[in-house]
Amino acid sequence: MPFSPQVEQWRSLFRRLGSDLPTEFLLAWLSKESGGLECATGIPGVEAGIFQTFHPADDRFGATFAQLRANCVPNTQQITRPLTSAEAELQVSSGIRYVRAMIAAAKRKLAAAG
């Protein structure tokens, strides 16, 4: 499946930081949730980042709403500057922690159901 350049820009970080997860799945997630844009908005003041995680509940995966929007103009989808490499890694690593947690929760429910 071809992805937009905004989504494809995350491929190498997914491969490096989430090598245990299917890269195409992660790219498809971004394509649907944020289009690969770190300043994409969903629910104002709640959803943030390339994975559009919910905050403050999803802070537990390693990034706060403010951290995920550090380079964004408040209340817009506009960037103020390019992401630093550390900020890009935070976008990816927090999302990957979220995905791993959801996989673990699904496995627990399936095991409980037999």
Side-chain angles (χ1 to χ4, degrees), residues 7-20:
V7 171
E8 280 293 338
Q9 71 180 332
W10 301 99
R11 184 180 290 274
S12 63
L13 276 176
F14 284 160
R15 284 186 175 157
R16 184 164 58 85
L17 300 174
S19 60
D20 58 313

Side-chain angles (χ1 to χ4, degrees), residues 55-76:
H55 299 273
D58 288 342
D59 290 3
R60 62 192 167 138
F61 300 112
T64 65
F65 181 88
Q67 288 172 312
L68 292 174
R69 292 201 38 95
N71 72 318
C72 305
V73 175
N75 304 314
T76 75

Side-chain angles (χ1 to χ4, degrees), residues 14 25-26 29-30 33-34 37 47-54 91-96 98-99:
F14 284 160
F25 169 78
L26 296 171
W29 187 315
L30 263 59
E33 288 291 343
S34 67
L37 305 173
E47 288 181 301
I50 58 175
F51 282 89
Q52 291 293 282
T53 48
F54 278 54
Q91 289 276 343
V92 171
S93 64
S94 63
I96 285 174
Y98 175 80
V99 170

